[in-house]
Amino acid sequence: IVSEIRARFESTAPSLGLGDRLHIEERTGRVDTLLSEYARVFDMLVIGRNATEDVDEHLVLHPDRIALLSGRPILIVPEHHTGPARHDRAVIAWDGGRAAARALSDSLALLEDQGSVTVLTIGDISPAIPASAVRRHLERHSIDAKVEHIDADPGVARALVAYCKSQQPGLLVMGAYEHSKFREDFMGGVTARVLQTVPVPVLMSH
């Protein structure tokens, strides 16, 4: 498999015109730990999301853990996502938390290339920093932004996924979990549920 990946890389790399900025490395170890360590010296880590569960546990990527361990933004692309990298509309899931603020900051370079950005609030959360302040912040960066609110029915994760399915933004920006990782693993959470089913690329930070 490794030899096939290297052969495909070597045949594709020249056409991308990135020169010595593009290279391939082989390393062994736990995949989350390795990617987290290497991500620290890059602007962003782009990974795929497996749609199936019949994957060796040692090869399964956990984007929320990688975001936590690396301190870098993670762009998660759903399996079988074949659409182009769109630069027309993005959605920021805003709850006013630290992780959401970090995701907002980490995404600015991409958002400046988007045609428009929707700052989305969900349910009865009343952020200390309202979505209108985020809109003004984006406008200071010459980003066309608007605010929208949806009900958290039948739950925050499902509501957010349904919104993305109906509106089909080019990118969803969101912060990772804000509470105990044990609680997230044991009970499940918005982060995991969204990443499992959302049909668009997600930029996530912690």
Side-chain angles (χ1 to χ4, degrees), residues 86-91 114-118 163 166-172:
R86 292 169 49 199
H87 295 285
D88 53 356
R89 289 182 299 122
V91 170
Q114 301 284 341
S116 64
V117 174
T118 298
Y163 179 89
S166 65
Q167 299 300 314
Q168 287 295 307
L171 179 70
L172 169 64

Side-chain angles (χ1 to χ4, degrees), residues 13-204:
S15 65
L16 299 178
L18 295 175
D20 59 5
R21 289 184 295 167
L22 194 63
H23 58 278
I24 186 170
E25 294 188 27
E26 296 178 30
R27 291 290 185 271
T28 59
R30 297 189 65 85
V31 63
D32 286 351
T33 301
L34 285 174
L35 289 177
S36 298
E37 292 172 349
Y38 273 89
R40 293 170 189 154
V41 292
F42 290 91
D43 295 330
M44 180 181 298
L45 179 64
V46 181
I47 63 176
R49 186 197 78 205
N50 294 319
T52 59
E53 296 182 359
D54 55 341
V55 179
D56 189 323
E57 174 61 25
H58 295 291
L59 301 178
V60 173
L61 299 175
H62 301 91
D64 51 349
R65 297 178 188 174
I66 295 172
L68 173 64
L69 294 172
S70 69
R72 306 304 301 138
I74 312 297
L75 180 63
I76 305 103
V77 181
E79 189 175 28
H80 306 310
H81 181 77
T82 58
R86 292 169 49 199
H87 295 285
D88 53 356
R89 289 182 299 122
V91 170
I92 299 174
W94 181 252
D95 64 1
R98 186 196 64 81
R102 176 66 182 270
L104 169 63
S105 177
D106 286 340
S107 67
L108 280 178
L110 288 177
L111 296 180
E112 288 173 350
D113 291 332
Q114 301 284 341
S116 64
V117 174
T118 298
V119 183
L120 185 69
T121 56
I122 305 171
D124 57 1
I125 296 175
S126 298
I129 304 300
S132 58
V134 180
R135 182 192 64 218
R136 290 193 297 271
H137 174 63
L138 292 167
E139 289 172 347
R140 287 195 291 269
H141 286 267
S142 301
I143 298 170
D144 180 22
K146 66 177 182 178
V147 172
E148 190 170 345
H149 179 82
I150 60 174
D151 292 332
D153 183 23
V156 173
R158 290 184 181 180
L160 180 55
V161 170
Y163 179 89
C164 289
K165 286 181 177 179
S166 65
Q167 299 300 314
Q168 287 295 307
L171 179 70
L172 169 64
V173 177
M174 63 180 289
Y177 55 86
E178 289 278 19
H179 43 68
S180 163
K181 187 65 180 70
F182 172 79
R183 182 176 182 274
E184 180 85 3
D185 286 338
F186 184 71
M187 302 181 64
V190 172
T191 302
R193 293 186 183 121
V194 170
L195 292 181
Q196 287 169 2
T197 55
V198 73
V200 302
V202 178
L203 188 147
M204 186 177 65

